[in-house]
Amino acid sequence: MDRIIPHNFTASIEVNGHATEFEFTAMNIKILQLFQVHVKLPEQKRIRFHMQRNADGQFKITDRHRLPQEINMPEEQLANAIQAEHPGL
């Protein structure tokens, strides 16, 4: 089986009815486990947060306190984008 090499990528995901560009930066080049995610939401500053693989192998937002409370961040779609970009997880 080929090793999955983490890499940086962008994905367009809907947030509050608007297509929004997310930038994913791999934080480990050997193991697919942690991404720094950047997003610029309408009328917001650029936001940075992390998504990390948990014990069940699912990618979850680890620092929700960085996100505006009025934004329902699409965690499942973000995790799906990571998996789509890294097939064979």
Side-chain angles (χ1 to χ4, degrees):
M1 183 171 132
D2 292 334
R3 193 178 112 215
I4 299 169
I5 299 173
H7 57 273
N8 302 342
F9 68 98
T10 61
S12 181
I13 298 171
E14 188 174 305
V15 177
N16 292 356
H18 301 284
T20 305
E21 189 82 7
F22 288 83
E23 298 172 8
F24 294 80
T25 303
M27 301 306 293
N28 187 324
I29 62 169
K30 293 183 180 183
I31 301 169
L32 187 62
Q33 68 180 11
L34 178 64
F35 283 88
Q36 188 176 84
V37 184
H38 289 91
V39 62
K40 172 71 171 86
L41 299 169
E43 301 179 24
Q44 299 280 338
K45 293 181 180 180
R46 187 172 166 91
I47 299 168
R48 176 180 58 95
F49 60 95
H50 294 89
M51 291 198 69
Q52 186 168 8
R53 198 176 213 178
N54 65 15
D56 296 329
Q58 301 298 314
F59 280 93
K60 299 291 184 182
I61 296 172
T62 61
D63 45 1
R64 284 201 175 274
H65 65 280
R66 293 181 166 270
L67 305 174
Q69 292 181 4
E70 67 274 9
I71 302 295
N72 184 15
M73 197 57 68
E75 183 176 61
E76 186 175 340
Q77 289 89 344
L78 294 168
N80 289 343
I82 294 171
Q83 292 176 329
E85 188 68 26
H86 296 84
L89 277 177

